[in-house]
Amino acid sequence: MTLDLIVRGGTIVDGSGMGRYRADVGVRDGRIVEIGRIRAPAQRTVDADGLIVAPGFIDGHTHMDAQVNWDQQGTCSCWHGVTTVIMGNCGFALAPCPPDQREWFARCLTAVEDIPLEAMLAGIDWDWETFPEYLATVDRLPKALNYGAYIGHSALRMYVMGRRALDEAATEDDLKRMRDAVRQAIKAGAMGFSSSRAGTHVTPDDTPVASRIAHWSEIEALVGVMAELDAGIFQIGPDVSSGPSQRAFLAQLRDLAIGTGRPTMFGTISTRQGDRPNSYRYQLDYLDEAVAAGARMWGQTTTKSINAIFSFKSYLPFDALPHWEHIRALPLDEQKRRMADPEMRKALVADEALMKPRDNVFQGGGAATTDPRKPDYTNLFAMRGVEWDDPTVADLARQRNQHPVEVMLDLMLADENQVFVQPLVNESPDHVLDMMRHPWTLTTFSDSGAHVCQEMGSSLQTHMLSYWVRQKQAFTLEQAIRKLTFDNATAWELNDRGLVRSGYAADLVLFDEKTVQPAMPTVEFDLPGGARRLVQKAEGIAATIVNGRVAFEHGVATGAAGGVLLKGTGTST
């Protein structure tokens, strides 16, 4: 019988962690049906000679809830071998939402996740109110990737309680309505329920998001719905404000995970910020203890520091200062002309003295412009490549005998695409490596779709392959592929993905292990309404196949929309 597709002559790294081998992969009706030396005819053959053939990468921590409405390809994740994403993390979502509150919900998403409001208003055909209706929209949309979604606590709370969600405890009637909505969402196919206790998550009015107002008993009640259904995953943005506060949060989370039996996930990070933060080792030891006590629990980590990225074409740390604010409102060519003027340069450098000194307040990426503090120039890197060996602005200032602001001005005038990287958390590569190596962490924390002007976590998969496998040799390719595929598929209960095996969905990525790496980020104005974002593509990926359809070849979309809505285990409940 004729196959739909044969991937011919590649070296298979199948996601299990076992050794590689050379074979063909045959696909029919979106599934792998044969592995070996295939002689059957096929409608299409892809030559994989000299390439690695791996399962498509799975990214479980994204915020592509809005973007899926206007971006069929699923950029930037799609360029890095990702075939499946889970969205709606940390309680932030666009459903459920009453029709008369759509802009308010969008503004809240902008405040927390830095998704441009103008893009959402221009790019979303908002044809849903309830969460099941939102899932139906995602199911109907053409898409090159697979999408799963959580129902988010903050969105749910605002839907049920309106403005009271931001400063009041839920009544019994509120809680009943929320429980009913969670039950409906899980039965409709939600991957689970998400929430947040993170102090960096604030509304446009700089007040705590709705989920942070909720009593812990409210979270217990909502996760309890999933326990009753024996379905759904609980994801939460953790409290990292201080040592005692985080320890109290983690104790509550452990008891909840054990009591409900539901898979539970939170972000594990290393940070120098905050008031006496716990060591990342405390979080790893906590995971060991929680799992030993009966919790099904994972920490989510990334492969590199989580950064704020600055550039002439996007944000700079000084944009809110008097002279800077005036200049930055001008067209780019005029900005460059003014910045080259000696007298204006003196004023721009002098403005830096108006910034607040550094402190221990934990900051996310957006804080650099809304509440400007002096940059730590010893932790602000002038990006020259993707090998992560860039000089700091402080180093360059000493070498040139210049003020750091003058260094940045000179670099931007010489190259308007110059990028500056400021690690916010996970600053130490050794800490990141420890977290990735831990048996109860998942390599998955990209935040793709969020912070689109100030972060670029979507490249974590190709960074893993180029930096930790090829450059540092901290993992074998087989180990790294398992972390990006089967481990994540197992945690999210995606039982037919994450392996190159007969019967599994034909989600595959073909790449050159000697050249695969992220490309340099650029600033593009390609969002709906002309809004800007950072874009980072990849090198060395020959093809990405989603449900048996070739979606990308050498980074170029084919137009195939083989992606599907992935539904959680509660769908059949």
Side-chain angles (χ1 to χ4, degrees), residues 344-360:
M344 179 54 68
R345 286 170 65 93
K346 290 180 182 178
L348 294 174
V349 171
D351 266 5
E352 189 252 16
L354 302 175
M355 301 176 80
K356 295 179 181 178
R358 301 299 303 173
D359 58 24
N360 288 324

Side-chain angles (χ1 to χ4, degrees), residues 394-470:
D395 290 337
L396 295 174
R398 282 193 297 271
Q399 293 169 14
R400 301 180 181 199
N401 195 28
Q402 288 182 307
H403 191 282
V405 175
E406 289 185 280
V407 170
M408 295 177 70
L409 286 168
D410 284 346
L411 291 175
M412 290 186 295
L413 289 175
D415 180 3
E416 64 180 26
N417 295 311
Q418 174 67 56
V419 167
F420 301 93
V421 179
Q422 175 194 334
L424 298 173
V425 297
N426 293 352
E427 302 98 326
S428 168
D430 289 341
H431 294 185
V432 173
L433 181 58
D434 274 355
M435 288 188 283
M436 285 194 296
R437 282 178 166 164
H438 192 271
W440 296 111
T441 62
L442 302 170
T443 304
T444 189
F445 201 151
S446 78
D447 256 3
S448 189
H451 311 293
V452 296
C453 292
Q454 278 205 304
E455 286 186 17
M456 188 40 62
S458 301
S459 60
L460 78 83
Q461 294 82 14
T462 48
H463 179 265
M464 175 76 162
L465 300 176
S466 62
Y467 184 78
W468 290 113
V469 175
R470 190 170 64 240

Side-chain angles (χ1 to χ4, degrees), residues 106-374:
R107 287 184 183 278
C108 289
L109 201 57
T110 295
V112 178
E113 301 296 350
D114 190 28
I115 303 169
L117 178 64
E118 59 267 39
M120 286 189 278
L121 297 181
I124 298 176
D125 182 11
W126 212 308
D127 59 355
W128 66 83
E129 177 172 339
T130 68
F131 191 82
E133 289 170 345
Y134 173 76
L135 286 185
T137 295
V138 175
D139 195 15
R140 186 171 59 251
L141 288 168
K143 47 200 171 291
L145 307 184
N146 305 309
Y147 289 83
Y150 297 110
I151 180 170
H153 192 183
S154 285
L156 174 61
R157 207 168 201 269
M158 292 191 300
Y159 178 70
V160 169
M161 299 176 62
R163 300 278 173 167
R164 292 189 300 114
L166 298 176
D167 55 24
E168 293 184 17
T171 65
E172 285 298 318
D173 182 63
D174 294 332
L175 191 55
K176 180 182 184 303
R177 290 180 61 196
M178 284 190 275
R179 282 174 53 85
D180 288 345
V182 170
R183 184 174 292 105
Q184 292 167 5
I186 297 299
K187 290 185 175 182
M191 298 300 297
F193 168 73
S194 70
S195 188
S196 175
R197 307 301 266 188
T200 53
H201 291 160
V202 296
T203 70
D205 300 320
D206 200 29
T207 59
V209 295
S211 66
R212 291 175 56 200
I213 301 300
H215 292 164
W216 188 258
S217 60
E218 178 178 313
I219 293 177
E220 291 176 327
L222 297 177
V223 178
V225 173
M226 296 194 294
E228 294 168 9
L229 297 173
D230 193 24
I233 294 159
F234 178 47
Q235 183 275 333
I236 188 165
D239 182 346
V240 294
S241 57
S242 71
S245 179
Q246 187 189 41
R247 289 195 293 273
F249 160 79
L250 290 174
Q252 290 176 312
L253 187 65
R254 177 197 58 225
D255 293 344
L256 177 62
I258 294 171
T260 63
R262 299 318 307 153
T264 300
M265 303 177 184
F266 68 96
T268 52
I269 61 171
S270 166
T271 180
R272 304 174 194 149
Q273 301 184 68
D275 179 15
R276 300 182 304 280
N278 291 302
S279 162
Y280 76 97
R281 288 293 334 170
Y282 176 88
Q283 300 166 56
L284 300 184
D285 291 342
Y286 162 84
L287 282 169
D288 286 333
E289 294 164 4
V291 170
R296 297 167 63 192
M297 186 176 288
W298 287 270
Q300 296 181 353
T301 191
T302 183
T303 65
K304 55 186 176 179
S305 55
I306 298 175
N307 309 306
I309 295 182
F310 301 107
S311 77
F312 176 61
K313 291 183 176 179
S314 58
Y315 294 138
L316 290 171
F318 320 110
D319 285 347
L321 301 175
H323 290 91
W324 288 85
E325 187 174 25
H326 172 70
I327 286 181
R328 296 288 280 158
L330 300 172
L332 294 179
D333 286 343
E334 181 63 16
Q335 288 187 46
K336 287 192 284 187
R337 191 184 71 80
R338 299 285 187 94
M339 289 177 176
D341 177 77
E343 292 304 313
M344 179 54 68
R345 286 170 65 93
K346 290 180 182 178
L348 294 174
V349 171
D351 266 5
E352 189 252 16
L354 302 175
M355 301 176 80
K356 295 179 181 178
R358 301 299 303 173
D359 58 24
N360 288 324
V361 175
F362 185 86
Q363 293 183 330
T369 54
T370 59
D371 189 16
R373 290 169 169 80
K374 284 191 177 184

Side-chain angles (χ1 to χ4, degrees), residues 366-381:
T369 54
T370 59
D371 189 16
R373 290 169 169 80
K374 284 191 177 184
D376 176 1
Y377 297 110
T378 66
N379 189 44
L380 183 62
F381 296 84

Side-chain angles (χ1 to χ4, degrees), residues 77-129:
S77 290
C78 66
W79 291 314
H80 299 276
V82 171
T83 57
T84 293
V85 299
I86 309 298
M87 54 191 180
N89 284 271
C90 300
F92 306 120
L94 294 174
C97 176
D100 61 346
Q101 296 296 326
R102 291 168 178 168
E103 184 171 336
W104 179 45
F105 274 48
R107 287 184 183 278
C108 289
L109 201 57
T110 295
V112 178
E113 301 296 350
D114 190 28
I115 303 169
L117 178 64
E118 59 267 39
M120 286 189 278
L121 297 181
I124 298 176
D125 182 11
W126 212 308
D127 59 355
W128 66 83
E129 177 172 339

